[in-house]
Amino acid sequence: MIRVWLGLADAQRFEGFQKALVTELEETVRQHALSEGYAFVGPVKVEIFIDDDLKVGAVEVKTEFIGGESQPRLIASDGRSFAIGDLPLIIGRSPDVEVVVNDSNVSRQHAEVWRTAQGVAIRDLESTNGTYVNGHRVSAVSLSPRDDVTVGKLHFRIELA
């Protein structure tokens, strides 16, 4: 949890796009942590507050670790997010799968993502056009948060939180 306090004048300047700012800050923290080799046990959350005592340009930031059980997620480049639970997530074009990809290059049941003792893995389900991890066609492979998974035109990443 990251809490950010801004003065009233600065908070007013961010009015109208505060949600976008929070989303960008959360993603920046995730990317920095990955580049430093860190992993999160839970989601990164940023909250912004107003402090009438802060002067223009002054910012106060406090961080807090909130423990919890790890819940890996599959994050799609279109903004959707899927919890990876005990049962595999099927990715495909069929409306009956957990992760629907509306792309004619995606098979009805294209790939599956599941939890392993070491983290998360993906397996291609004999799709016509293949499943790619970091630009390489794969049949099955373990994933890390740095990996770029491509199914059709959609990209995915894993968040081990």
Side-chain angles (χ1 to χ4, degrees):
M1 170 71 68
I2 299 169
R3 292 186 174 101
V4 179
W5 282 268
L6 302 172
L8 181 59
D10 289 324
Q12 289 172 338
R13 289 188 8 226
F14 291 117
E15 203 169 295
F17 62 93
Q18 184 176 355
K19 185 176 180 180
L21 175 64
V22 166
T23 301
E24 188 171 331
L25 287 170
E26 290 170 345
E27 185 59 25
T28 299
V29 169
R30 277 189 209 96
Q31 293 303 321
H32 176 71
L34 285 174
S35 72
E36 295 294 322
Y38 299 122
F40 294 104
V41 177
V44 174
K45 186 163 174 56
V46 173
E47 293 179 342
I48 296 179
F49 299 94
I50 296 173
D51 183 340
D52 293 331
D53 295 332
L54 287 175
K55 297 184 186 321
V56 173
V59 176
E60 187 174 319
V61 178
K62 292 184 181 177
T63 60
E64 178 182 352
F65 172 75
I66 300 172
E69 187 177 326
S70 176
Q71 179 65 48
R73 301 189 71 74
L74 180 67
I75 311 295
S77 58
D78 64 6
R80 294 181 293 159
S81 175
F82 306 90
I84 303 170
D86 295 331
L87 299 175
L89 287 177
I90 306 296
I91 302 170
R93 200 177 68 243
S94 170
D96 300 325
V97 301
E98 291 79 13
V99 183
V100 177
V101 179
N102 189 11
D103 181 338
S104 61
N105 293 313
V106 174
S107 298
R108 292 179 60 72
Q109 291 193 353
H110 195 99
E112 66 179 350
V113 176
W114 75 99
R115 291 174 86 161
T116 69
Q118 294 76 32
V120 176
I122 190 165
R123 176 181 11 254
D124 185 80
L125 298 175
E126 299 181 11
S127 67
T128 303
N129 294 312
T131 300
Y132 293 82
V133 176
N134 301 324
H136 301 284
R137 191 170 181 159
V138 298
S139 55
V141 67
S142 292
L143 296 172
S144 78
R146 297 173 191 258
D147 291 329
D148 175 47
V149 176
T150 308
V151 174
K153 295 177 184 160
L154 195 61
H155 292 264
F156 297 92
R157 66 179 169 81
I158 297 300
E159 189 174 274
L160 297 176

